[in-house]
């Protein structure tokens, strides 16, 4: 029988997009810190590395961590901006701006008329939803 592989959730840190949100918004960071009681955290929750999302027992551990290879690697990864949903959809090939398209219509005498029709974009759809 083979060994069962399980994900290590105990040591799992926050994802890069969550850390980006922590760095941008102090409120987002405080919500994360307040979600855990201070008595359960190492060092009573005083020593926290925002970039790595880790708590430490004391200041010396935090200072040593900040000089380490893992912390520096995490800083390097955080320099890149996270992808937005719009960029992800563009990479897959989904278009958000449909632009204009040509439609054919027949007039009363049987000749074909070609006219340009503006497709509804996300912004105009949102504006229509707000108005109605």
């Amino acid at each position: 029988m083979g060994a069962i592989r399980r994900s290590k959730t105990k040591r799992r840190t926050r994802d890069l997009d969550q850390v980006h949100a922590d760095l941008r918004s102090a409120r987002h960071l405080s919500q994360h810190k307040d979600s855990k009681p201070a008595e359960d955290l190492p060092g009573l929750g005083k020593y926290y590395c925002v970039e790595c999302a880790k708590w430490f027992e004391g200041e010396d551990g935090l200072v040593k961590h900040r000089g380490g290879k893992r912390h520096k690697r995490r800083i390097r990864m955080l320099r890149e901006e996270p992808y937005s949903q719009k960029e992800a959809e563009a990479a897959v090939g989904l278009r958000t701006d449909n632009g204009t398209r040509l439609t054919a219509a027949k007039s009363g005498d049987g000749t074909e008329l070609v006219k340009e029709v503006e497709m509804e974009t996300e912004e105009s759809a949102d504006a229509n939803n707000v108005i109605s």
Side-chain angles (χ1 to χ4, degrees):
M1 298 216 81
I4 298 173
R5 293 185 182 211
R6 295 188 177 134
S7 63
K8 297 178 183 177
T9 57
K10 183 178 180 181
R11 293 191 185 113
R12 180 158 166 67
T13 60
R14 291 169 61 86
D15 292 323
L16 290 177
D17 57 340
Q18 293 173 321
V19 173
H20 268 283
D22 289 346
L23 292 172
R24 275 188 251 123
S25 169
R27 191 179 117 240
H28 194 272
L29 179 61
S30 67
Q31 284 177 344
H32 171 64
K33 284 184 173 181
D34 294 341
S35 67
K36 298 176 170 73
E39 301 85 37
D40 295 343
L41 299 173
L44 297 176
K46 292 181 183 177
Y47 308 103
Y48 181 71
C49 176
V50 178
E51 292 87 4
C52 298
K54 290 179 115 180
W55 277 273
F56 294 92
E57 286 289 329
E59 188 175 0
D60 57 335
L62 179 60
V63 170
K64 187 175 180 182
H65 162 77
R66 287 196 173 138
K69 184 187 257 184
R70 289 184 179 174
H71 179 77
K72 291 177 182 177
R73 185 183 310 142
R74 184 79 172 207
I75 296 268
R76 217 176 14 253
M77 290 185 331
L78 285 170
R79 285 188 186 138
E80 295 179 22
E81 281 295 316
Y83 292 109
S84 66
Q85 184 64 32
K86 196 171 193 176
E87 290 173 326
E89 289 174 354
V92 172
L94 298 174
R95 294 180 59 198
T96 55
D97 179 27
N98 293 326
T100 60
R101 73 173 188 189
L102 301 176
T103 60
K106 292 193 177 188
S107 65
D109 59 351
T111 59
E112 197 170 286
L113 300 173
V114 177
K115 66 180 190 177
E116 204 171 278
V117 176
E118 181 69 29
M119 297 298 294
E120 189 173 275
T121 61
E122 287 181 17
E123 291 82 23
S124 62
D126 292 339
N128 290 339
N129 290 339
V130 171
I131 294 170
S132 52

